[in-house]
Amino acid sequence: MNKKVAFYTLGCKLNFSETSTIARGFEKEEFERVDFSEEADVYVINTCSVTENADKRFKTIVKQAQKANPEAFVAAVGCYAQLKPEELAEVDGVDLVLGATEKFKITDYLNDLTKNDKGEVHSCEIEDADFYVGSYAIGDRTRAFLKVQDGCDYKCTYCTIPLARGISRSDTLDNVLNNAKEIASQDIKEIVLTGVNIGDYGKGEFGNKKHEHTFLDLVKALDTIEGIHRLRISSIEPNLLKNETIDFVAQSNSFVPHFHVPLQSGSDEILKKMRRRYLTNLYVDRVKRIKSAMPHACIGVDVIVGFPGETDEHFLETYHFLNELDISYLHVFTYSERDNTLAAEMDQVVPKKVRSKRSKMLRGLSAKKRRAFYESQLGSVRMVLFEGENKKGYIHGFTENYVKVKAPWDPSLVNTLHQVELKDIDTDGLVRFEFVSSEIMA
């Protein structure tokens, strides 16, 4: 009987791509992968440290694993495991904690699956995390997350990612292209490029800081790959999103008109305290450039509320800035203090209730922005890629510019591309459509 392994991933798309790579390592060792809710011999939890919630959820997930099999071996890997290995090792039921460089070699640590009284820790000094491990995740039949870069050289005052993932480093261009071809051969229609700071792509490609390739080189090379219908850039810093990249995406074969560009604050004063590498005028410039090249482009924005020193005036500055900007939706993060960051030592702490209220206001603004963007797309003809899940009798899909559509469930539509005309917005906020032709585009 093959041993069974189950995985649980917290956090970002990058974590999902890495979990898939770790899982393929287990398959080589002849483990059978099962769902996390099922009984397994080994449970691997890929942790995140970005928000307070991710920390709290970890204990709940360990309990879930123990409930499925009290004798199972439980391993914690990922960012939180790198930052606070001893803390995780103390959690009841955890047997092994692996840091940033060790997680990809997890099967080397599993010679003996006997439960430990206390978690065994193997975590490196983060300076040792200077080599690159490529990975990609196939979450479903329609799209794959392809990791192209890891780590970050930026020193934002609120962020633990450089402490958890190390310096900025990239996959070689050949590797990325080979991974993309491998994904294309599995009839997957869309690739989402992921990394910690993907606009920094090229740095560390050869284990040093030499740049042979840039992010633009990567984008141009990926655009030539046969069999990939859509390429999506997951998130890119405004200061690294160059005009040349925007202009290339506007006329490319495969890259879609969808950008996710972190802002974090609409106040220059707060941006400086955060040590971001741009001010609001540059951000406005990026949005205008995207919209002039691709008027129908979807633009998503990350924003943090409740950063130390954010007064009501600063928050309203952010609110009005976003309200007037031609963007499509927001990802709102409520600031939470992280150990070993400069922001955690700052005074003028914003009360939790105030953070929560501001978060709610921006989530309301996001709903308004998404609705306005969807309304602007009604009557247009778009290409929809249909997803694989039956959601209460409906099938969902996304247009190239990230409008979410719905139709009565039809299994023949799964993982197919169709031209549709966007007609109206349903009560749940999703868009109804009519097929322009019954022909499957791919």
Side-chain angles (χ1 to χ4, degrees):
M1 287 285 285
N2 284 0
K3 286 197 162 59
K4 292 179 178 177
V5 62
F7 297 87
Y8 198 107
T9 307
L10 289 158
C12 60
K13 293 181 178 86
L14 182 57
N15 267 7
F16 279 92
S17 72
E18 291 183 342
T19 297
S20 285
T21 297
I22 293 165
R24 285 192 281 275
F26 273 90
E27 280 157 24
K28 282 180 190 155
E29 299 293 327
E30 297 186 340
F31 275 78
E32 180 194 339
R33 184 172 182 177
V34 298
D35 190 79
F36 201 82
S37 60
E38 295 175 44
E39 188 175 335
D41 301 285
V42 180
Y43 291 90
V44 180
I45 304 166
N46 194 353
T47 63
C48 167
S49 68
V50 171
T51 65
E52 215 172 1
N53 274 356
D55 298 4
K56 288 173 185 165
R57 282 186 65 196
F58 177 73
K59 287 178 183 168
T60 312
I61 295 154
V62 172
K63 279 182 187 151
Q64 217 175 305
Q66 287 183 299
K67 196 176 172 187
N69 179 7
E71 297 306 309
F73 192 88
V74 178
V77 302
C79 292
Y80 190 22
Q82 174 64 36
L83 290 172
K84 299 200 171 177
E86 298 299 338
E87 198 173 290
L88 291 195
E90 294 286 348
V91 173
D92 191 36
V94 173
D95 300 290
L96 179 67
V97 180
L98 298 180
T101 61
E102 294 81 9
K103 62 189 170 192
F104 295 108
K105 303 184 292 232
I106 183 169
T107 54
D108 297 352
Y109 296 94
L110 298 180
N111 301 326
D112 176 11
L113 294 181
T114 314
K115 294 289 289 172
N116 294 324
D117 293 335
K118 182 185 179 246
E120 195 180 300
V121 173
H122 297 273
S123 77
C124 63
E125 292 300 317
I126 199 59
E127 291 74 24
D128 298 336
D130 58 359
F131 58 89
Y132 186 86
V133 178
S135 53
Y136 64 85
I138 295 169
D140 54 38
R141 275 171 57 195
T142 54
R143 73 172 57 81
F145 301 122
L146 173 58
K147 173 182 166 186
V148 299
Q149 182 274 343
D150 200 351
C152 189
D153 292 342
Y154 288 6
K155 298 286 186 284
C156 301
T157 53
Y158 53 82
C159 186
T160 57
I161 287 173
L163 301 172
R165 284 187 170 271
I167 58 171
S168 179
R169 54 209 188 274
S170 310
D171 206 347
T172 64
L173 191 58
D174 284 349
N175 254 0
V176 174
L177 297 179
N178 287 335
N179 281 340
K181 285 171 191 164
E182 213 171 293
I183 294 166
S185 71
Q186 298 180 53
D187 191 34
I188 283 160
K189 305 283 195 289
E190 181 175 310
I191 290 179
V192 183
L193 303 184
T194 73
V196 173
N197 189 357
I198 63 174
D200 215 18
Y201 176 82
K203 202 184 270 185
E205 194 183 354
F206 305 103
N208 51 35
K209 292 296 178 194
K210 273 186 194 162
H211 270 260
E212 183 172 329
H213 297 107
T214 63
F215 184 68
L216 181 61
D217 295 334
L218 172 74
V219 164
K220 285 180 172 174
L222 282 167
D223 201 48
T224 63
I225 289 189
E226 295 285 316
I228 290 295
H229 299 270
R230 287 182 173 181
L231 284 153
R232 205 178 285 278
I233 299 165
S234 65
S235 180
I236 184 165
E237 293 283 306
N239 51 305
L240 296 174
L241 178 55
K242 305 296 185 198
N243 288 344
E244 296 80 7
T245 305
I246 295 169
D247 295 344
F248 182 79
V249 167
Q251 52 81 53
S252 81
N253 302 315
S254 315
F255 277 88
V256 294
H258 175 206
F259 293 85
H260 194 92
V261 189
L263 169 69
Q264 312 310 12
S265 176
S267 156
D268 284 345
E269 201 178 320
I270 297 296
L271 287 174
K272 287 173 187 170
K273 284 188 81 173
M274 290 176 164
R275 287 198 187 161
R276 301 293 286 159
R277 297 197 176 194
Y278 54 86
L279 296 173
T280 50
N281 60 351
L282 177 94
Y283 198 91
V284 170
D285 183 66
R286 298 299 77 205
V287 170
K288 284 182 175 167
R289 184 74 185 210
I290 292 167
K291 283 293 189 175
S292 74
M294 294 161 272
H296 62 300
C298 177
I299 303 175
V301 182
D302 286 343
V303 61
I304 295 170
V305 294
F307 188 81
E310 184 188 64
T311 61
D312 286 346
E313 288 72 25
H314 290 131
F315 172 70
L316 287 173
E317 204 180 336
T318 295
Y319 189 95
H320 294 312
F321 178 76
L322 289 165
N323 192 33
E324 285 159 27
L325 212 53
D326 193 1
I327 54 162
S328 316
Y329 65 89
L330 306 172
H331 280 173
V332 183
F333 297 89
T334 306
Y335 172 76
S336 65
E337 286 78 0
R338 317 311 287 152
D339 288 348
N340 303 313
T341 60
L342 286 172
E345 308 300 315
M346 290 178 182
D347 48 16
Q348 293 179 285
V349 173
V350 178
K352 293 260 172 85
K353 270 187 180 170
V354 176
R355 298 183 209 183
S356 176
K357 184 182 167 194
R358 289 175 185 173
S359 177
K360 207 171 176 180
M361 282 177 72
L362 283 187
R363 284 200 302 273
L365 179 62
S366 178
K368 189 178 113 178
K369 285 283 184 184
R370 194 185 297 271
R371 176 91 190 188
F373 176 63
Y374 281 12
E375 282 174 355
S376 76
Q377 297 305 299
L378 297 180
S380 66
V381 173
R382 298 278 169 240
M383 190 75 78
V384 168
L385 173 58
F386 287 98
E387 313 259 305
E389 211 181 321
N390 183 341
K391 295 194 174 172
K392 297 179 180 172
Y394 287 93
I395 188 167
H396 293 168
F398 284 94
T399 63
E400 66 276 29
N401 62 340
Y402 215 54
V403 173
K404 194 173 185 180
V405 304
K406 68 185 281 196
W409 172 253
D410 177 353
S412 71
L413 291 175
V414 172
N415 199 32
T416 61
L417 285 152
H418 289 262
Q419 267 199 325
V420 307
E421 184 182 345
L422 304 179
K423 297 304 275 185
D424 51 62
I425 301 172
D426 211 341
T427 50
D428 59 3
L430 305 189
V431 176
R432 297 276 197 165
F433 61 86
E434 282 177 9
F435 289 105
V436 170
S437 72
S438 56
E439 183 191 349
I440 295 176
M441 310 306 285

